[in-house]
Amino acid sequence: IRRHPLVDYGLDDLEALGMLDGAMRSLLGAAVRAKWNVLFAGGQGNGKTTLMRAAAHEAHPDERTITIEAIPELHLDQFPDRHRHVVTLWERPANMQGDGAITAADLAWHAKHLSPDRILVGEVLADEVVPMLEAMSQGIRGAMCTIHATSSAAVFPRLPVYARAGGRD
Protein backbone atom coordinates (compact mmCIF):
# COMPACT_ATOMS: atom_id res chain seq x y z
CA ILE A 1 0.00 0.00 0.00
CA ARG A 2 1.43 3.34 -1.06
CA ARG A 3 0.76 6.19 1.30
CA HIS A 4 1.61 9.77 0.38
CA PRO A 5 2.13 11.77 3.58
CA LEU A 6 3.28 14.96 1.82
CA VAL A 7 0.15 15.70 -0.23
CA ASP A 8 -0.22 19.30 0.98
CA TYR A 9 3.49 20.12 0.72
CA GLY A 10 4.62 22.80 -1.69
CA LEU A 11 8.05 23.41 -3.13
CA ASP A 12 9.04 25.54 -0.12
CA ASP A 13 8.22 22.61 2.17
CA LEU A 14 10.26 20.19 0.06
CA GLU A 15 13.17 22.64 0.07
CA ALA A 16 12.98 22.79 3.87
CA LEU A 17 13.15 18.98 3.94
CA GLY A 18 16.25 19.03 1.72
CA MET A 19 14.57 17.38 -1.28
CA LEU A 20 15.70 20.27 -3.51
CA ASP A 21 17.83 23.35 -3.10
CA GLY A 22 16.81 26.99 -3.46
CA ALA A 23 17.96 27.28 -7.07
CA MET A 24 16.02 24.17 -8.14
CA ARG A 25 12.98 25.32 -6.18
CA SER A 26 13.09 28.70 -7.91
CA LEU A 27 13.59 27.17 -11.38
CA LEU A 28 10.82 24.61 -10.97
CA GLY A 29 8.38 27.15 -9.55
CA ALA A 30 9.09 29.57 -12.39
CA ALA A 31 8.72 26.78 -14.98
CA VAL A 32 5.28 25.85 -13.64
CA ARG A 33 4.10 29.46 -13.45
CA ALA A 34 5.36 30.03 -17.02
CA LYS A 35 3.39 26.92 -18.09
CA TRP A 36 6.38 24.98 -19.33
CA ASN A 37 5.81 21.28 -19.91
CA VAL A 38 7.72 19.22 -17.35
CA LEU A 39 8.54 15.51 -17.16
CA PHE A 40 9.63 14.29 -13.72
CA ALA A 41 12.02 11.37 -14.16
CA GLY A 42 13.48 8.99 -11.64
CA GLY A 43 13.41 5.50 -10.25
CA GLN A 44 10.62 3.93 -8.24
CA GLY A 45 10.11 5.49 -4.84
CA ASN A 46 12.35 8.49 -5.56
CA GLY A 47 9.62 11.11 -5.01
CA LYS A 48 8.54 11.91 -8.58
CA THR A 49 4.85 12.11 -7.66
CA THR A 50 5.58 14.10 -4.50
CA LEU A 51 7.69 16.58 -6.46
CA MET A 52 5.15 16.88 -9.28
CA ARG A 53 2.31 17.46 -6.80
CA ALA A 54 4.34 20.14 -4.99
CA ALA A 55 5.18 21.77 -8.33
CA ALA A 56 1.50 21.68 -9.33
CA HIS A 57 0.73 23.73 -6.22
CA GLU A 58 2.62 26.60 -7.95
CA ALA A 59 -0.07 26.82 -10.66
CA HIS A 60 -2.74 29.49 -10.47
CA PRO A 61 -5.67 28.19 -8.37
CA ASP A 62 -8.25 28.97 -11.08
CA GLU A 63 -6.58 26.92 -13.81
CA ARG A 64 -8.65 24.02 -15.09
CA THR A 65 -6.44 21.04 -14.31
CA ILE A 66 -7.09 17.52 -15.58
CA THR A 67 -5.34 14.71 -13.74
CA ILE A 68 -5.00 11.25 -15.28
CA GLU A 69 -3.94 8.39 -13.05
CA ALA A 70 -4.07 4.64 -12.78
CA ILE A 71 -4.29 4.93 -9.01
CA PRO A 72 -5.23 8.22 -7.33
CA GLU A 73 -2.05 9.68 -5.84
CA LEU A 74 -1.99 13.38 -6.75
CA HIS A 75 -5.13 14.35 -4.76
CA LEU A 76 -5.16 17.92 -6.09
CA ASP A 77 -8.95 17.95 -5.78
CA GLN A 78 -8.57 17.77 -1.98
CA PHE A 79 -7.13 21.28 -1.83
CA PRO A 80 -9.72 23.76 -3.18
CA ASP A 81 -7.70 26.68 -1.82
CA ARG A 82 -4.80 25.62 -4.09
CA HIS A 83 -6.78 24.09 -7.00
CA ARG A 84 -10.34 25.29 -7.51
CA HIS A 85 -11.04 23.49 -10.79
CA VAL A 86 -9.68 19.94 -10.94
CA VAL A 87 -11.11 17.11 -13.03
CA THR A 88 -9.76 13.75 -11.92
CA LEU A 89 -9.74 10.87 -14.40
CA TRP A 90 -8.78 7.32 -13.42
CA GLU A 91 -8.08 4.23 -15.43
CA ARG A 92 -10.57 1.40 -15.18
CA PRO A 93 -9.58 -2.25 -15.61
CA ALA A 94 -11.56 -4.59 -17.81
CA ASN A 95 -14.38 -6.60 -16.26
CA MET A 96 -14.26 -10.38 -15.93
CA GLN A 97 -15.27 -10.76 -19.57
CA GLY A 98 -12.39 -8.54 -20.66
CA ASP A 99 -14.63 -5.60 -21.59
CA GLY A 100 -14.90 -2.01 -20.42
CA ALA A 101 -11.26 -1.15 -19.82
CA ILE A 102 -10.38 2.53 -19.92
CA THR A 103 -6.66 3.18 -20.23
CA ALA A 104 -4.60 6.25 -19.44
CA ALA A 105 -4.10 6.61 -23.20
CA ASP A 106 -7.90 6.74 -23.65
CA LEU A 107 -8.19 9.30 -20.87
CA ALA A 108 -5.34 11.45 -22.21
CA TRP A 109 -7.02 11.60 -25.62
CA HIS A 110 -10.36 12.63 -24.08
CA ALA A 111 -8.77 15.07 -21.63
CA LYS A 112 -7.67 17.27 -24.52
CA HIS A 113 -11.37 17.85 -25.30
CA LEU A 114 -12.24 19.03 -21.77
CA SER A 115 -10.75 22.52 -22.27
CA PRO A 116 -7.86 22.02 -19.85
CA ASP A 117 -5.37 24.67 -18.87
CA ARG A 118 -3.11 21.84 -17.70
CA ILE A 119 -2.98 18.06 -17.97
CA LEU A 120 -1.10 16.06 -15.35
CA VAL A 121 -0.45 12.37 -15.94
CA GLY A 122 0.43 10.61 -12.72
CA GLU A 123 2.65 8.05 -14.40
CA VAL A 124 3.60 7.50 -18.02
CA LEU A 125 4.29 3.78 -18.41
CA ALA A 126 3.16 2.86 -21.92
CA ASP A 127 1.21 4.17 -24.89
CA GLU A 128 -0.32 7.07 -22.93
CA VAL A 129 2.94 8.84 -23.80
CA VAL A 130 1.61 9.51 -27.32
CA PRO A 131 -1.50 11.52 -26.35
CA MET A 132 0.51 13.17 -23.57
CA LEU A 133 3.17 14.36 -26.03
CA GLU A 134 0.45 15.38 -28.48
CA ALA A 135 -1.18 17.48 -25.75
CA MET A 136 2.17 19.05 -24.92
CA SER A 137 2.86 19.91 -28.55
CA GLN A 138 -0.65 21.05 -29.55
CA GLY A 139 -1.14 24.02 -27.30
CA ILE A 140 -1.89 22.62 -23.84
CA ARG A 141 0.81 24.41 -21.93
CA GLY A 142 2.00 23.41 -18.50
CA ALA A 143 1.46 19.67 -18.85
CA MET A 144 3.32 17.49 -16.37
CA CYS A 145 3.91 13.79 -15.92
CA THR A 146 6.18 11.34 -14.18
CA ILE A 147 8.24 8.77 -16.03
CA HIS A 148 10.52 5.99 -14.85
CA ALA A 149 14.08 6.62 -16.00
CA THR A 150 17.49 6.45 -14.37
CA SER A 151 18.47 9.95 -15.53
CA SER A 152 17.15 12.86 -17.57
CA ALA A 153 19.14 11.62 -20.58
CA ALA A 154 17.51 8.20 -20.22
CA VAL A 155 14.03 9.72 -20.69
CA PHE A 156 14.40 10.21 -24.43
CA PRO A 157 15.10 6.56 -25.33
CA ARG A 158 12.13 5.54 -23.13
CA LEU A 159 9.61 7.67 -25.03
CA PRO A 160 9.64 5.64 -28.28
CA VAL A 161 9.62 2.40 -26.28
CA TYR A 162 6.47 3.53 -24.52
CA ALA A 163 4.93 4.76 -27.78
CA ARG A 164 5.54 1.38 -29.41
CA ALA A 165 3.85 -0.35 -26.46
CA GLY A 166 0.56 0.85 -27.94
CA GLY A 167 1.31 -0.42 -31.42
CA ARG A 168 2.40 2.92 -32.87
CA ASP A 169 5.67 3.42 -34.72
Side-chain angles (χ1 to χ4, degrees):
I1 296 174
R2 291 183 65 176
R3 187 177 181 300
H4 293 271
L6 307 178
V7 291
D8 196 22
Y9 279 42
L11 292 177
D12 290 334
D13 300 309
L14 297 185
E15 181 184 359
L17 291 174
M19 187 171 177
L20 63 160
D21 63 19
M24 183 56 67
R25 186 264 173 265
S26 179
L27 175 66
L28 191 52
V32 171
R33 289 187 302 277
K35 291 191 171 185
W36 288 4
N37 298 323
V38 181
L39 280 73
F40 295 87
Q44 288 184 323
N46 285 349
K48 297 179 301 296
T49 301
T50 298
L51 184 57
M52 184 169 78
R53 182 186 315 109
H57 291 334
E58 292 286 313
H60 192 279
D62 290 326
E63 288 182 349
R64 182 174 170 86
T65 303
I66 312 292
T67 63
I68 299 169
E69 300 180 90
I71 300 165
E73 295 179 325
L74 290 171
H75 308 295
L76 298 183
D77 57 320
Q78 293 181 7
F79 304 101
D81 56 322
R82 291 186 188 256
H83 306 281
R84 292 194 257 287
H85 199 151
V86 177
V87 177
T88 58
L89 304 175
W90 300 317
E91 288 183 337
R92 181 178 69 197
N95 63 17
M96 292 179 61
Q97 292 77 29
D99 298 323
I102 299 174
T103 67
D106 298 329
L107 296 172
W109 187 86
H110 288 290
K112 294 184 292 185
H113 302 283
L114 297 176
S115 302
D117 293 311
R118 288 184 191 270
I119 295 177
L120 279 64
V121 178
E123 208 167 22
V124 170
L125 296 170
D127 63 331
E128 63 270 7
V129 73
V130 174
M132 181 67 193
L133 291 173
E134 287 173 351
M136 288 178 164
S137 65
Q138 293 175 358
I140 299 173
R141 299 174 53 221
M144 293 187 258
C145 68
T146 67
I147 187 167
H148 290 252
T150 55
S151 68
S152 56
V155 168
F156 299 102
R158 306 251 355 127
L159 296 176
V161 170
Y162 288 156
R164 283 192 300 272
R168 294 189 184 195
D169 292 320

